[in-house]
Amino acid sequence: MNKTAKINFEKISLPNSGTIVLFTTKSNKLSDTAKELDTNNNKFITKAIKAADFKSAKSSILEIISPTITEPKTAKYDRIILVGLGENKAHTKLDWRNLGGSLAAHLLAKNIESATVLVETETDPEFIANLGHGITLRQYKFDKYKTSAQKDQSKEEETKETNLQKVAIQSEEATAAKKLFTNSLSPVQHGVFAARDLVNEPGNILGPNEYAKRIKALSSLGLGIKVLTDKELKTEKMNSLLSVGEGSRQGSYLAIMEWKGAAKTEQPLAIIGKGVTFDTGGISIKGAGGMEDMKGDMGGSATVVGLMQTLAKRKAKINAVGVVGLVENMPDGQATRPGDIVTSKSGQTIEVINTDAEGRLVLADALWYTQEKFNPKYMINLATLTGAIMVALGKEYAGLFSNNDELAEMLVASGKDTGEQVWRMPLGELGSSYDKLINSTFADMKNTGGRWGGAITAAQFLQRFVNETPWAHIDIAGVAMASNKSPINQSWGSGYGVDLLNNWIEENFEK
Ligand code: BES
Ligand code: MN
Ligand code: ZN
């Protein structure tokens, strides 16, 4: 699973054989090496560009197979691949990451085993490292449930066996790029892959029991792991969370992952995730169409688990705590009924109007517990919480709700930096008209707010379980699963949020 090509960073030195990747800019300006090869060999590159009407548009690719090379005499190349940079050069690290993704797609499709990439126009090590990062991210595969016979037959690129073993990235900044890649980007990639794997797993394999086991195994990375079981959750009075799992044959859990990379006295950053391993809707059962997607309703928790792995792998110099509620929402004789009233850990009572609005019931207790137990500096939760957020924002942005402008601004900035974008949505104060929509006739609140503004009333509900802590809720229903494909992500489960929050931590707490 997920064997990716070795990425090497080297000084520029054109090899004599194999596959060579060169960059061209708008109006087909060749890099130095390309120009030299072209001039010495009867303008074979210029001719190919003309014949193919190649425009060097960003991430476009022109492949010249087995060119006749007479100078240098010993050279014999399988392929010369030109990659367009578009206008002059690609300007952001995201551009370079995407270039890497597009290049990897080509190498994989052509079953190329190794390639040497000459980066002559770029000297920023961060950009060069991100080229390698993009190449690696693109190679993610989830084919563990395809038998080998099926794999051989499959014409889909996603499942076809590929042989890419090695990519050498040559540049003047090889040492710095390698350092960045190894210490900072590789840990992110591992966290993203871990999150994608968890989201892609079906509900029959990754139920709460198995999920809890996999989290326990992460102690080998140096994370402090604690898993609370049903019995302990009862003692902790987390009846809101527990009410969601009542209809399941499996246990419900709250898993806590601690990373201690700074002084004991430093307040931790807390990240909380919704881990509904399958959401049938419960007694308020969902329609059959597309219900299979609800195996991804643990996407928020997967981001938390991936992020904690990333922090541990790169030995981040901060304290962080990841908390995930693991439950399965099933209809059953024991299941919670619409109209049932539960008492949350906070003491507030909740009338469960709709058992399909279960994520907020899980998060209510997880948030309260985290805040009480860890007194975090900031608290961020991620959840595939509402269909309504997709109605509002589509699949381009996650929805951001926050009680703190500074935190919201930091997250918006990290979204721009990583390409995992968030759009801030309105959140009313306690007692505001938005907040009042979840008042209940029979209890302190109800778990749905009526027809309009469904993503907002969900956020208002969560806010009732947050005190003074600066807090943000990120609704990732549109971006965590069945997400838009991109040069660096072809997976159903995207791993959204690992990069975003890792960047937020790096930029704001480690510099
Ligand atoms: N897990 C769903 C939200 C969801 C829907 C995520 C589609 C990803 C894709 C959530 O538990 C849910 O069912 N929400 C309901 C809330 C409603 C009953 C108030 C919804 O959005 O319809
Ligand atoms: Mn639901
Ligand atoms: Zn759900």
Side-chain angles (χ1 to χ4, degrees), residues 142 144-145 194 197-199 201-202 205-220 225 227 257 305 309 326:
F142 187 81
K144 62 194 282 197
Y145 300 111
D197 277 348
L198 289 169
V199 175
E201 283 285 8
I205 304 292
L206 193 76
N209 296 343
E210 167 68 15
Y211 203 170
K213 255 191 231 157
R214 290 197 193 180
I215 290 176
K216 277 186 191 152
L218 297 177
S219 59
S220 64
I225 309 283
V227 177
M257 295 154 271
V305 174
Q309 290 182 55
L326 311 178

Side-chain angles (χ1 to χ4, degrees), residues 274 279 286 294 297 354 356 358 384-387 390 481:
K274 168 181 174 182
D279 180 14
K286 289 179 181 296
M294 287 301 115
D297 207 19
N354 188 321
D356 197 12
E358 84 297 341
T384 51
L385 203 63
T386 67
M390 289 188 265
M481 52 166 139

